[in-house]
Structure formats: structure tokens, C-alpha cells
Amino acid sequence: MSAEALDRLAEERVDHRFKGLPPDAEGLTVGELTAQRRNLFTGGFTTPVLALSAERLEHNLALMERYAARHGLLFAPHGKTSMAPRLFQRQIERGAWGITLAVPHQVRVARAFGVRRVFLANELVDPAALAWIAAEQDADPDFRLVCYVDSVRGVRLMDAALSGAVRPLDVVVELAAGDGARTGVRTEAECAAVADAVAATRTLRLTGVAGYEGEVPGADPERVAAYLRRLVALAADFDRAGRFAGAEEVVVSAGGSAWFDAVAEVFAEIPELSLPVLKLLRSGAYVSHDDGHYRRLTPFNRVPEEGALEPAFRLWTQVVSRPSAEQAFTNAGKRDAAYDLDLPVAQVVRADGGERPADGIEVTGLSDQHAWLRTGPDARIDVGDWVGLGLSHPCTSFDKWQLIPVTEADGTVVDYLRTFF
């Protein structure tokens, strides 16, 4: 990645664009504010404010690095989870092959910070975006983008848009996770037709197969493994048919954040092919993990000897109303907290410089700028107290905050993550 571009992040000025940061930090650069090592609770930060645990972030990065190496997988974490270039950098330093993205804007962000390998987990048929990617590839021999194809029409649109490109664009056929799943080709026969369409172009090069097991209808270990074995069999069939002629390796890719244990198990069964096989895992939510959706579904629950990810986000919000013994309201709502899968969870109350468990406190709803709390008889909470909330689904947490304090356990802020959504 580009050290110069990353360094420029520290030169950005702190101002009204960034929620929760101290008002008296206005005009400082991010680097200057970082150097002050302010405390999240006593350093002038305003609520609501999202914080990322430095220790838990480091734990999660190291755990997945070891996991991928132990299972013979290469790793292209889904960067759309965070869209934070400094996290891209840390993941690549931890051995990531590259970064997985979903749409052209995200690729432009990655390229602005020097990411050299991108896996685009979508079929890309936008002519302007394809022309830009072709120009990036032609100008930089070290840049490689691998993209889904999932229809003959899509292949034809891509071919037309790339007509002036010097280098072919590497593509993988996306096998759908089943009828009623999201994107992808539904049958192996249709996959072959898409592969034939690619072979008929000069602008595209077929280099593998891919999919997303998180969309398997009624997902359970048996159904997910069966889908992944279809994906592996498709790669082997394509190889026997000579469909990867001209490729340097065969990419076989899958892996969300809920079933990567199944990916590791099935990808270990990939037979020897005529070319080296790049077994590419794409899990992205691991980087911050969560206190809801992924905490319940993490593969480490099924295979505990592999270790355990740790939830790294906490949203700090302040009680602004206590209208009755059964109700309280804080000043964080839908603008601040992920809520698409699960509501936040009240974890701790901070008052008078100390913390205590949020016993008897439950988040029951979110308005635009309020969290609704139900308070039981044992709840100790009053106007002015800070409440620390655990969040579900990091994919919709990062996108609500453009500059996120990274804090040590005592509240010392040691870094700030800039996001680009």
C-alpha cells in the first residue's frame, strides 16, 4: 500500500464532519489529536461516540491470520465491512492476499491508497467503471482485479466496455448458493455457457470459480458443505475441460464470516488441478466482530479449539431522559447504531468515573436519535450517565462513523480510523 497516501490521513483537519470528537480539537490534524492521547471519558469527547478496542482489534487480526495459515488458505477480507484504509494496511501486513470489495467506488478508494490486489465480489457491467479499471490495470502492471461473471449478457457488456483494454480482466464464474439465493449462475450447465462466453472474448480471462455460502437457503453445516462441494467440483470440471487455458492459477473463492470453517474443510478436499490453486477466503466482519449476529454464528463457536473472536466495538451514549422507573432514553439512535439485524445491547453504565454492569437495562427500540431503554427494578441509571452499547453487524456500524477512535482498555485513544463510504 502507499505509505504516502496513508500518511496524508494524519494531515486531515478535525472539524464538524466527525461525530463525537472533542469540540476543542477543532482545527487540529488527526495526527496532532492522536499524539495527545486523550482519554475517551475525560478528554472532551461528546456522546454519542463509537470506539474500537485496540486490544481486541489486534487479537482478531492475529487470530484470523493464524487461522488462514493453519488451513492453507489465502485471505482477501471483505473491505466493504470497514472501508478503512488503515485496516486494509494492517490486514495486508498480516498476510492478506488482497482486499475484497463490492462496487466501483470502493475499488477507487482502495486504489487511492495503493491496494494492489482486489477481488470484486460482484458482476461489474458499468462501462465507465470498467474503462477506469482497464486504465488502472494498463498503467500499473502490479495491479490485479478479479471480478465475478454470472451471465452471458453480463460478459457481453463487459467485453464491449473493455474493447480498448491492453490487459484482459480476470474473471471467475459465480455459482449461486441455490434457488432463491442472491446473485450467481443457478446451474452447472449455465456456468459452462458463461465460461464459453468468456472464452469468446479477448478482453476477459477466466481464472476460476467463486460464490458465497452465506446465502445458502436454510443454511446449516450439511447444506453449506454441499454447496461448497458443488463449487469445488465446478472448478475441477472446468479444469478438465481446459477452460482455464491462459490463466496462471485457478482461483476458488468463498467465505463470509459465518461459515468459514466449512470453507476450510471443503477447500482442503480440492484435488490437484493442472494449475496452482489459489484458495481464497473472504471473511470480513471478523476484524471488529460484534455482539449479536456474528457472535452467535461465528464458526469458532462450532470449533472452539481454533480460538475465539472478540467484539471490538462499543457505542457510548448518554442518558438524556428518565421519565419513569421503567423507561430511560439515551441520545444514540439509528444514525449511530447498527440495527438492521439486531438491536444494540446495554453492557455497562459509566457514572462518577466508574463502571458497573448494565443490569436490568434493555434496548427495546431506536428512533432517529434516541435509544429506548426498558429498565427493571435493579437498574441503576440516571440522567447524565453514559451507557456502553454492544453492537450487531459491523458492516452497518463502520458506515455511520467517518473517524473512529481506537482506544486502549483504560480509555486512552491511540489512533483514529478514517472510513470512506
Side-chain angles (χ1 to χ4, degrees):
M1 291 185 67
S2 168
E4 182 181 352
L6 289 164
D7 287 345
R8 283 198 297 270
L9 291 174
E11 299 169 4
E12 191 165 15
R13 295 287 173 181
V14 174
D15 58 23
H16 60 277
R17 292 170 296 165
F18 305 123
K19 299 190 293 184
L21 299 192
D24 66 354
E26 178 93 13
L28 295 176
T29 68
V30 173
E32 289 168 343
L33 181 58
T34 303
Q36 291 182 356
R37 293 178 63 87
R38 296 198 187 196
N39 188 280
L40 189 73
F41 308 112
T42 61
F45 290 83
T46 63
T47 57
V49 59
L50 181 68
L52 186 66
S53 163
E55 296 89 351
R56 292 185 170 199
L57 172 62
E58 175 61 25
H59 169 85
N60 293 343
L61 289 167
L63 182 66
M64 284 300 289
E65 178 189 21
R66 294 193 299 268
Y67 183 89
R70 185 162 55 246
H71 291 280
L73 301 169
L74 289 177
F75 196 33
H78 218 313
K80 62 93 176 172
T81 300
S82 69
M83 287 306 297
R86 287 180 64 87
L87 284 185
F88 295 173
Q89 175 196 28
R90 293 185 67 175
Q91 290 168 314
I92 290 169
E93 288 174 347
R94 290 285 190 173
W97 171 90
I99 300 296
T100 296
L101 298 165
V103 293
H105 157 71
Q106 295 168 358
V107 182
R108 291 187 64 195
V109 171
R111 288 298 291 159
F113 290 90
V115 174
R116 291 184 172 180
R117 293 189 185 126
V118 170
F119 187 98
L120 188 66
N122 236 339
E123 183 169 67
L124 180 58
V125 293
D126 184 311
L130 285 163
W132 174 78
I133 286 169
E136 287 287 297
Q137 284 202 146
D138 291 346
D140 183 357
D142 292 327
F143 174 49
R144 183 186 182 194
L145 185 140
V146 179
C147 179
Y148 277 179
V149 287
D150 86 340
S151 65
V152 171
R153 174 170 169 77
V155 169
R156 290 172 180 164
L157 290 170
M158 294 172 76
D159 183 42
L162 293 167
S163 61
V166 175
R167 287 174 57 191
L169 178 64
D170 283 343
V171 296
V172 292
V173 173
E174 182 193 6
L175 176 67
D179 291 335
R182 200 163 59 187
T183 57
V185 186
R186 265 37 184 182
T187 69
E188 282 74 2
E190 291 172 301
C191 286
V194 173
D196 287 341
V198 171
T201 73
R202 181 194 62 80
T203 60
L204 303 175
R205 179 174 68 168
L206 185 65
T207 192
V209 299
Y212 175 48
E213 74 290 339
E215 288 292 318
V216 170
D220 61 27
E222 292 73 26
R223 289 187 178 95
V224 168
Y227 163 69
L228 291 168
R229 291 192 172 96
R230 282 184 63 202
L231 187 66
V232 167
L234 181 65
D237 288 347
F238 276 12
D239 187 56
R240 282 191 295 272
R243 296 188 184 279
F244 299 129
E248 298 173 358
E249 62 192 358
V250 176
V251 177
V252 183
S253 180
S257 293
W259 296 100
F260 54 77
D261 57 331
V263 175
E265 178 182 349
V266 174
F267 279 17
E269 303 169 2
I270 295 177
E272 185 174 346
L273 303 182
S274 63
L275 294 168
V277 178
L278 194 161
K279 304 174 184 179
L280 197 60
L281 182 69
R282 305 195 308 270
S283 312
Y286 84 97
V287 69
S288 61
H289 200 42
D290 73 358
D291 281 290
H293 180 73
Y294 286 116
R295 191 169 195 173
R296 293 192 300 272
L297 296 180
T298 175
F300 292 124
N301 288 341
R302 297 187 290 272
V303 194
E305 61 270 21
E306 294 273 16
L309 294 168
E310 297 178 351
F313 269 140
R314 180 166 283 172
L315 177 62
W316 288 98
T317 181
Q318 191 169 29
V319 180
V320 293
S321 180
R322 187 78 160 100
S324 72
E326 295 80 30
Q327 240 182 348
F329 293 86
T330 73
N331 62 351
K334 294 179 181 178
R335 302 288 183 262
D336 314 297
Y339 62 93
D340 57 321
L341 294 180
D342 300 291
L343 288 171
V345 178
Q347 295 177 326
V348 296
V349 175
R350 185 173 181 86
D352 302 320
E355 290 183 12
R356 57 179 179 267
D359 295 333
I361 302 171
E362 178 187 5
V363 179
T364 60
L366 295 175
S367 299
D368 284 350
Q369 209 60 66
H370 290 98
W372 295 58
L373 306 185
R374 179 187 296 127
T375 54
D378 55 343
R380 295 168 56 204
I381 188 172
D382 209 343
V383 171
D385 293 349
W386 284 31
V387 181
L389 302 178
L391 302 175
S392 177
H393 203 197
C395 298
T396 53
S397 296
F398 278 102
D399 64 355
K400 298 177 185 297
W401 296 84
Q402 291 183 302
L403 198 61
I404 302 171
V406 180
T407 62
E408 293 181 338
D410 65 356
T412 301
V413 180
V414 295
D415 200 0
Y416 294 83
L417 288 182
R418 181 70 158 96
T419 66
F420 294 86
F421 281 93

